Structure formats: C-alpha cells, structure tokens
Amino acid sequence: MSTEPSQNTTPPAEHWRSYGPLGLHPILVHAMEAFNEHGYHGTSVRDIAGRVGVTVPALYYHYDNKQALLATLLETSIKDVLDRCRAAAGEAGDDPLARFCGMVESIVLYMAHRQQLAFLDTEIRSLEPQNRARYVALRDYLEHMLLDSVEAGRARGVFTTPIPADATRSVLIMCQGVANWFRADGPLTAEEVAERHVLLSLGAVGHPGAVTGDFTIPLPRHSSLAPVPSPRASGSHTP
C-alpha cells in the first residue's frame, strides 16, 4: 500500500462531515470486530473465517495472513482521517484558526462515527516493523498538518502556546480518546462532542477566547454546530 495521503481533489464541503456505510470487505468487517472484542493476539484466522462463513483457504485467497488484515484496517482508517482533515482544512482557507478548528472537528467526528475502526489504533503495537513504520508515517503526517496550523496561528498572534508541538500532541491524544468512550446512545451527539473538543483544543494551544469564553468558535461554513455560549452568561455568547 502507498504511504502517501490521498491527493484527490478536495471533496465537496459537506463530504468530511458525512458518514455513510463503512464499505469494507466482509472479511475486514469481521476481522475488525474480532480484533476489538478479543485483541489481535487473541484472534485467530480460523476465528475470522468462522465469523465470515468461509474456509481458512478462502480467506487466504483475499488476504495473505492476519497481519495483512490488521495493516489494511489501520491504513484504511488513518487515510480516511487524513482525507477528511485535508478537506476540512481546504474548506477553511488560509485562516489558521478556522483550519485548526475544522481539523479538530473532523478528527473527533471520525472517532465517533467510525469508532470500531478508529479504536484499532490501540493495536499499533501488534504491527510488524514494516507495517508499523508505514502507519506511523501516516499518523505523523496528520500531526504535522495540525501543527502547521498551530504554528501559523502563533505567527499571527492567534495562539499563544509556548510549546506548539507538545500542545498539538495533547490535542490529538484527547481527540483520539473519543473512540474509547463515545456512545451513540449517550447524552451527547457526535457533533456536540466535536464542538466541545474544539473548545478544549483551543485552550490547549492558547487561544485567549477559549479561557474567557468571549468568542464564537470559527467553525468552517455550513457547520451545523451552534456557537459555544460564554460560561459567564448562560444562554448567551459574545461574537
């Protein structure tokens, strides 16, 4: 598989917020479910074949081994995140604040809507060296995209963090954690969780308004998210 992020034309503005069926091969779907339930090392190829309803040789016809299944799932996931982040950043234009907010929103929405796939990031430890290096390179690319927006924001006086690289990593860890705890039937929708994480992330990179609450989150156009109200005036906010 190529380690380069997709270079396709930026999708329509609504694309990165839209989630349809997962569209994975049935073997990958059942492998994903088995890995999430029992862990990579606790799952055998025979277990996966049994879930799919095929013989082990039939499964090997499609994928060389269990490692190939895990690597394919993880790379599929990170490439989708990257494509959505690129679309969100492209929609936001040159404004580093809007780009940062859009990318954070896109990551959190992915973690919530593609939870089972995103949760497999915990199995990075099970990747063989070559597959791990390829996956880490893609994950690093995502981190650099976000860091670039933070650095640009610092240059314009929008963000004040003195440690942009550390702040960026903490934002990513927080956003990726959504895959561990989000519940579709919980008190918050994926969109509401994304909104809150945008605000928390702005605090991490030192946006003054994130502390005072005296601003409206500049989410990209066509957003369905409402402005965050000021904590000092319930039900209101200062633009």
Side-chain angles (χ1 to χ4, degrees), residues 51-194:
R51 287 171 179 251
V52 181
V54 300
T55 64
V56 171
L59 189 149
Y60 283 140
Y61 175 79
H62 294 281
Y63 296 94
D64 290 341
N65 48 41
K66 187 174 70 167
Q67 178 69 195
L69 290 168
L70 179 62
T72 300
L73 286 165
L74 282 170
E75 289 188 32
T76 296
S77 180
I78 191 64
K79 287 179 178 179
D80 194 1
V81 174
L82 280 168
D83 283 347
R84 290 173 184 273
C85 275
R86 289 179 63 246
E91 179 184 303
D94 295 330
D95 180 0
L97 178 58
R99 288 173 69 88
F100 178 82
C101 290
M103 284 191 285
V104 169
E105 182 192 351
S106 69
I107 294 169
V108 175
L109 288 178
Y110 185 86
M111 297 301 152
H113 287 294
R114 293 287 188 256
Q115 191 171 13
Q116 280 194 300
L117 197 53
F119 184 74
L120 284 180
D121 184 74
T122 58
E123 288 291 355
I124 185 177
R125 62 186 181 277
S126 301
L127 288 173
E128 293 173 358
Q130 184 176 3
N131 291 330
R132 181 186 174 93
R134 188 163 56 240
Y135 179 73
V136 168
L138 290 167
R139 200 167 64 170
D140 287 349
Y141 187 94
L142 175 63
E143 182 176 330
H144 291 149
M145 284 178 61
L146 199 59
L147 177 58
D148 285 347
S149 69
V150 175
E151 293 281 19
R154 274 168 42 89
R156 296 191 189 184
V158 175
F159 303 138
T160 62
T161 175
I163 45 174
D166 297 278
T168 299
R169 279 191 292 271
S170 70
V171 167
L172 280 174
I173 291 170
M174 176 176 63
C175 292
Q176 290 170 333
V178 171
N180 297 325
W181 60 262
F182 178 76
R183 295 293 177 268
D185 60 352
L188 297 174
T189 65
E191 291 71 26
E192 289 168 334
V193 170

